[in-house]
Amino acid sequence: MDNAIHHSINNKQIEIKTAAAAKHITFFVTDHGKGIPEDDKPYIFNRFYCTDKSRTDKSNFGLGLSIADELAKMMNGSVGCEDTDGGGATFFVTLPLK
């Protein structure tokens, strides 16, 4: 949520959705910001990775997505990201239902 708020342009709407299937549930958070550069996508779930190459943005430490990834794995789930139509990013967490 914090990333979606931080990266949304001009306070555009952030969408939160869920989808349930027989064996899992997925939570989606969608923003309509500038999106994630292709070169950064393979690394965004790595600990301490920041897309700000100048390292001037001191408001984050590059831990949030890596923590989300680890927590999802601990619950036998997964996280991911895809481009949002029209710009931005959609992050999702899929967890098994018991």
Side-chain angles (χ1 to χ4, degrees), residues 31-68:
D31 72 54
H32 299 280
K34 63 182 179 180
I36 300 168
E38 288 297 322
D39 292 347
D40 290 321
K41 288 180 182 178
Y43 310 106
I44 60 173
F45 293 102
N46 291 356
R47 197 173 312 151
F48 302 114
Y49 188 80
C50 295
T51 59
D52 174 25
K53 303 295 187 272
S54 69
R55 306 293 189 245
T56 57
D57 182 1
K58 304 295 183 198
S59 64
N60 65 67
F61 299 101
L63 291 172
L65 292 176
S66 66
I67 291 169

Side-chain angles (χ1 to χ4, degrees), residues 68-78 95:
D69 185 47
E70 287 299 319
L71 288 172
K73 287 177 183 174
M74 289 171 66
M75 295 183 277
N76 297 315
S78 62
L95 300 172

